[in-house]
Amino acid sequence: VGRVSVPRPPAAAEPRAPAAPAAVAEPSQRQLRPALAVAPPPPPPPPPPATATAAGAEALAAHRRLLLRVYPLVDDAVPWSAVPFDRYQVILVTGPQRSGTTWVACALASSLGYSLYDERHPITGGNDTLRALQRTFAYLRAKGERAVIQSPMGTKDLHLLPAWPGLLVAFMARSCLDVFRSQNKVDRQQGGWTCSAGRTRELRKYLNRPDLRPHFDERDMICKVKQDVWRWLQAPELQRRAAAREFGALNLSATVDFDSFRSHPLWMRGEQRASLGVKSTNCELLRSTPGRTRWSTQQWMAAGDEALAAAASPEEEAKRNFSQTYQPRYSRGGRCTNCNFAAGPDG
């Protein structure tokens, strides 16, 4: 009988030993340490008492009032580098006497390659400051010459100047304490410039003018008188006139911070300027100013007056007559003969 092969049932799988559990890492010493509690932030300091805050605010306000008494233009002054001087044909540098106008005018003319018309130039001769400036402007416009003019004597008439888009009136802003010290290096034998001219002849030009008188306190330094008149009357008037369409984007006036010229290559520190006298400066261009002789003054004034006659207008003539009407006149004894103010210096 043949054998019949019977399939064997599959062998049962041998049971495997359970896998050994993974090794558990022993905790480090750092993990065994108890967690440190994070310290809370310190409480904010208590606010200062109301009395201290009020005292600080009052101190700042008092400092502010004092600053404005000696430097009214502190908020209006801009750095010289922010003014596009090269966009103008004629730049008039003006401001209180001894505020740096001589050096600034010369430094700007040197940097720009412009001609320099210092206040001693023969074309500005005569006793009529407004006419002298009108004459100089007309001459430069007729010639097409680019120039810087220096005239601290012209401050009282700045709002009466002829205006055109090529003119910039740059008023030098400086602490009047610094100006006062500089002024009184001059005429020391007469008590300083303040006594010899500032509180007498120069102040009378302002006291005698009905358009200027409401804008200053005659008890102030002459420097502050001029800054106040510029701030409240002259600069706004020039800004108003510059709003005319023909001026485009050009300004007619700029209040320039004298101390900002520290960045100018010709700048001299205070101790370097201490020994400088009137018209003494490190700017070489100043030496090119023509001497004012009788002949040179006649020649230059004749050329300027010819140009002025060609450009004259009734309005400019009326302004000149107004300025001259109130210009103080003096007797041989030095007394003002047409001063119409009730109080103030009348020596």
Side-chain angles (χ1 to χ4, degrees):
V1 177
R3 294 181 178 178
V4 179
S5 59
V6 179
R8 294 181 179 181
E14 296 181 0
R16 294 182 179 181
V24 178
E26 293 186 3
S28 65
Q29 293 296 324
R30 185 174 182 178
Q31 291 174 324
L32 290 175
R33 295 174 185 170
L36 298 177
V38 179
T51 54
T53 305
E58 177 57 30
L60 290 176
H63 176 269
R64 174 78 179 168
R65 290 192 297 270
L66 179 61
L67 179 62
L68 291 176
R69 291 294 294 175
V70 298
Y71 193 2
L73 297 178
V74 62
D75 295 328
D76 302 326
V78 299
W80 78 277
S81 56
V83 181
F85 290 105
D86 58 348
R87 297 181 63 186
Y88 297 90
Q89 179 201 351
V90 176
I91 302 166
L92 173 64
V93 177
T94 186
Q97 284 87 343
R98 305 291 292 177
S99 63
T101 58
T102 295
W103 181 87
V104 167
C106 189
L108 287 177
S110 299
S111 300
L112 297 168
Y114 284 18
S115 303
L116 174 64
Y117 284 72
D118 182 73
E119 63 180 334
R120 302 170 302 165
H121 195 286
I123 200 171
T124 62
N127 296 322
D128 188 341
T129 305
L130 180 56
R131 181 180 178 85
L133 290 174
Q134 291 175 336
R135 177 196 305 130
T136 308
F137 290 168
Y139 175 83
L140 294 173
R141 295 186 71 183
K143 296 288 185 181
E145 184 177 348
R146 301 173 77 84
V148 180
I149 305 169
Q150 181 242 352
S151 179
M153 296 288 288
T155 51
K156 63 182 176 59
D157 292 318
L158 298 178
H159 56 302
L160 304 179
L161 292 172
W164 76 97
L167 173 67
L168 176 69
V169 180
F171 192 98
M172 288 300 104
R174 189 178 180 186
S175 168
C176 286
L177 292 180
D178 293 337
V179 175
F180 180 84
R181 285 192 290 265
S182 180
Q183 287 173 343
N184 289 290
K185 293 177 182 178
V186 182
D187 293 344
R188 291 185 175 179
Q189 294 182 349
Q190 302 177 53
W193 184 87
T194 297
C195 295
S196 66
R199 294 289 306 170
T200 53
R201 290 177 176 266
E202 197 64 23
L203 182 57
R204 290 182 197 129
K205 297 175 185 178
Y206 281 72
L207 288 171
N208 223 30
R209 285 276 291 268
D211 54 334
L212 307 182
R213 187 71 185 272
H215 303 286
F216 67 91
D217 186 335
E218 66 183 79
R219 297 169 296 181
D220 286 330
M221 295 179 284
I222 186 63
C223 167
K224 184 176 184 296
V225 168
K226 294 192 174 192
Q227 288 196 17
D228 280 337
V229 171
W230 170 258
R231 184 185 189 195
W232 299 113
L233 172 66
Q234 295 170 329
E237 171 62 17
L238 293 176
Q239 291 167 5
R240 184 191 65 79
R241 294 165 69 184
R245 182 178 302 176
E246 63 266 21
F247 283 85
L250 289 176
N251 292 319
L252 185 53
S253 61
T255 305
V256 186
D257 179 13
F258 173 78
D259 287 328
S260 71
F261 280 92
R262 295 176 186 273
S263 61
H264 194 279
L266 293 177
W267 176 262
M268 297 178 69
R269 296 189 303 273
E271 62 270 20
Q272 294 174 310
R273 301 193 305 268
S275 60
L276 297 179
V278 177
K279 296 300 177 184
S280 295
T281 178
N282 64 335
C283 185
E284 295 294 329
L285 188 59
L286 188 63
R287 300 179 182 178
S288 65
T289 301
R292 186 182 283 185
T293 65
R294 182 175 180 179
W295 180 87
S296 66
T297 301
Q298 289 176 347
Q299 295 296 312
W300 277 99
M301 289 178 63
D305 285 335
E306 181 180 355
L308 180 60
S313 70
E315 181 183 4
E316 301 304 328
E317 183 68 25
K319 291 178 179 178
R320 188 162 62 245
N321 291 337
F322 172 82
S323 177
Q324 276 300 100
T325 297
Y326 295 101
Q327 179 72 11
R329 298 178 179 84
Y330 296 92
S331 65
R332 290 184 179 180
R335 186 176 182 83
C336 182
T337 60
N338 69 329
C339 293
N340 59 4
F341 44 87
D346 193 26

